[in-house]
Amino acid sequence: MHAVIRRYRATPEVLREARPKLDHLERTMRDIPGFVAYYFLQTDDGVATITVTEDEAGADESMGRAARWVQENLQSRNQLSAPDVTRGQALIGAMRAAGAAPAAPATGTRQ
C-alpha cells in the first residue's frame, strides 16, 4: 500500500467553503483505481488529507485528482497554500477490527 499526506495552510473561509462539498470530494477520491482510504482533517492552521491506495499509481492519481478538485471547486483557493506533500510505501497498517469496541482510554502516567 502507498499513502500520500497533503498539508495545507488555509484560512477559515476555505474550510467553510469546502465543508458542504466534502461528499463530492469523497466520491472523487473513492473512484481512484486501487483506492483504500481517504481522510480530510481540520488542523490548527488549515487542512490535511491522507490518501491510502494499493499501489504507487493510485497515489500518483490522487495527487492529480486533489489538485483538480481544488481548482474546480474552491473559489477561495487563493487562501490555500500549496500542499506540503509526504508520500511513501506503507510498511505496516493497523486498524481496529470491524465490530470491535473502541479501546478504553489510557489511565495513569507514563514513566
Side-chain angles (χ1 to χ4, degrees):
M1 284 193 297
H2 282 71
V4 178
I5 302 166
R6 291 177 289 276
R7 294 180 33 213
Y8 305 83
R9 286 181 312 286
T11 65
E13 176 57 31
V14 172
L15 193 56
R16 274 192 297 277
E17 183 183 0
R19 273 187 197 276
K21 301 175 182 180
L22 292 180
D23 285 344
H24 179 258
L25 175 58
E26 178 183 347
R27 287 190 308 273
T28 299
M29 301 312 275
R30 280 185 179 275
D31 286 342
I32 294 170
F35 172 85
V36 174
Y38 182 76
Y39 301 91
F40 185 98
L41 301 98
Q42 179 178 351
T43 64
D44 290 340
D45 62 351
V47 297
T49 64
I50 303 168
T51 308
V52 181
T53 60
E54 291 177 358
D55 55 29
E56 191 172 7
D60 291 343
E61 177 70 18
S62 79
M63 293 294 296
R65 287 191 188 206
R68 278 191 306 279
W69 191 89
V70 166
Q71 288 299 313
E72 294 172 0
N73 293 279
L74 295 180
Q75 292 182 351
S76 59
R77 63 186 167 270
N78 63 335
Q79 299 174 44
L80 185 69
S81 71
D84 177 19
V85 178
T86 302
R87 55 187 297 162
Q89 184 175 0
L91 300 180
I92 186 171
M95 294 178 62
R96 180 174 66 207
T107 59
T109 58
R110 295 183 81 174
Q111 295 183 4

